Amino acid sequence: MCSSKLKNLTQENISQINGRPVLQPKSNQVPTLDRRNSLKKSPPKPLNPIASKIPSPRPISLISPPLSPNTKSLRKPAGSCKELLRSSSTKSKPVISPENSDGGYKEVMPMVIVQKQPGSIAAARREEVAMKQEERKKKISHYGRIKSVKSNEKNLNVEHEKKKRCSFITTSSDPIYVAYHDKEWGVPVHDDNLLFELLVLTGAQVGSDWTSVLKRRNTFREAFSGFEAELVADFNEKKIQSIVNDYGINLSQVLAVVDNAKQILKVKRDLGSFNKYIWGFMKHKPVTTKYTSCQKIPVKTSKSETISKDMVRRGFRFVDPTVIHLLMQAAGLTNDHLITCPRHLECTAMAAL
């Protein structure tokens, strides 16, 4: 009995693969179709017999169905900006489409226009551009437009070229020296007291410079009584020593000024005035030079050497050819302004009067 059952089991588990008998486990055997159908789980029976008769709801689709051209659009017409802001701020509600042919309903989401918030990147960019435009307007209102600025610069350059002084006048020159160049240097002088003053100042310039001498000009005027030769010629030793102590002028220079005042009085007695004596060497006409560079202006000329020799012969002191040439330039006996300097033409016009 047992042997027959074992035989049956072995026969059931043996299968033919490629013509060879193979023992197959029971778990690997595929059940037959009838057995597979019987293994399917049947749905549980509802507790309420009425609920089984109600049809199950259809799934809701979030995608709106395509609309035909005849159907009306569900979108509302665009309104004002305030309405758009209100619509964007309010919470959107789903819209239910009309009933389909199969009896179901589909949910349609309306189109919502999103408004940029003030804190967004685009708003920040707009604010930055607006600030730059305001700064540009302020610059334009303060400095003027670019074209006007360029035109003003051109006008300033033209005026600078027109007012191009002699090259020894620079941007670092002292204002008192610039004023002397613009108003006195090269202007013809015919006053005896002023000629005497210029003779003293040019003599004091030896070992110094024009700026330092011009700054002490009033000191010299007070010390030498306004350069009136009659008063200066009468200075005694006490007066001379007080000038040295009170005004700080060198003793040799004070003595030279007193001696020159005495010689001027002699010239006045012989020729009538110191003006006639000086201008007589020029035949009462100034010399107008045409120098283009200050390096070409000489420190002395043959005319200054002639005048210097005659003055030394008469007893004048501190009247070497270099000092006399400075006197000729300062008193307008020679017009040594550069031809590029506007004072050249002005002094020439004054000499023609």
Side-chain angles (χ1 to χ4, degrees), residues 49-336:
I50 301 174
S52 61
K53 296 181 180 180
I54 299 175
S56 61
R58 297 178 63 84
I60 298 174
S61 175
L62 297 178
I63 302 174
S64 60
L67 301 177
S68 63
N70 297 330
T71 57
K72 295 182 180 181
S73 176
L74 297 178
R75 291 176 57 184
K76 294 183 180 180
S80 61
C81 296
K82 293 182 179 180
E83 293 177 355
L84 291 175
L85 288 172
R86 292 196 199 100
S87 63
S88 63
S89 60
T90 56
K91 188 176 181 180
S92 60
K93 296 181 180 180
V95 180
I96 305 301
S97 63
E99 185 178 357
N100 295 335
S101 58
D102 56 356
Y105 291 88
K106 292 185 178 181
E107 185 178 2
V108 180
M109 298 298 293
M111 182 178 290
V112 179
I113 299 175
V114 180
Q115 185 71 19
K116 295 279 186 183
Q117 297 297 327
S120 63
I121 299 176
R125 178 60 181 168
R126 286 194 296 270
E127 291 178 1
E128 183 181 356
V129 172
M131 290 176 63
K132 289 183 178 179
Q133 289 178 352
E134 290 295 330
E135 291 178 358
R136 183 174 175 274
K137 288 179 180 179
K138 290 179 181 179
K139 289 181 180 180
I140 290 174
S141 62
H142 188 268
Y143 296 105
R145 296 190 178 276
I146 298 173
K147 292 183 179 180
S148 61
V149 170
K150 289 183 178 179
S151 61
N152 291 336
E153 289 179 355
K154 289 182 180 179
N155 294 335
L156 290 174
N157 292 333
V158 171
E159 292 178 0
H160 179 71
E161 291 295 331
K162 289 181 179 179
K163 294 183 178 180
K164 189 175 181 181
R165 300 181 178 92
C166 297
S167 58
F168 57 83
I169 299 294
T170 61
T171 54
S172 60
S173 297
D174 194 278
I176 193 172
Y177 186 43
V178 177
Y180 173 73
H181 168 272
D182 292 346
K183 297 179 180 180
E184 297 186 53
W185 196 68
V187 177
V189 177
H190 297 283
D191 182 71
D192 285 354
N193 293 347
L194 188 52
L195 286 171
F196 183 26
E197 178 182 350
L198 293 175
L199 178 62
V200 173
L201 295 178
T202 52
Q205 187 188 354
V206 177
S208 182
D209 58 273
W210 263 116
T211 303
S212 301
V213 172
L214 290 172
K215 288 181 178 180
R216 300 187 63 192
R217 191 174 189 176
N218 292 330
T219 303
F220 281 102
R221 285 176 178 174
E222 293 177 4
F224 298 110
S225 302
F227 293 102
E228 292 186 9
E230 293 79 7
L231 298 177
V232 176
D234 293 337
F235 284 176
N236 52 25
E237 293 183 1
K238 185 178 180 180
K239 179 66 175 178
I240 293 172
Q241 192 62 42
S242 65
I243 293 173
V244 173
N245 297 332
D246 297 340
Y247 297 98
I249 302 174
N250 193 355
L251 178 60
S252 61
Q253 189 175 0
V254 176
L255 293 173
V257 172
V258 174
D259 290 342
N260 289 340
K262 293 177 181 179
Q263 300 307 320
I264 289 174
L265 293 178
K266 292 180 181 180
V267 169
K268 285 183 178 182
R269 286 194 297 266
D270 296 340
L271 301 174
S273 66
F274 187 52
N275 174 56
K276 288 182 180 180
Y277 171 72
I278 291 294
W279 282 93
F281 291 98
M282 310 300 298
K283 296 182 181 180
H284 302 281
K285 289 183 180 180
V287 175
T288 302
T289 59
K290 295 182 179 180
Y291 297 115
T292 57
S293 174
C294 289
Q295 285 76 15
K296 296 182 179 181
I297 300 176
V299 294
K300 63 181 179 178
T301 60
S302 59
K303 186 65 68 174
S304 68
E305 289 178 351
T306 302
I307 298 173
S308 174
K309 287 179 181 179
D310 189 79
M311 294 184 74
V312 170
R313 181 182 62 83
R314 286 179 177 270
F316 286 90
R317 298 177 60 184
F318 292 149
V319 287
D320 60 86
T322 303
V323 173
I324 296 303
H325 186 65
L326 293 174
L327 173 65
M328 293 172 63
Q329 291 175 326
L333 278 74
T334 177
N335 181 9
D336 281 348

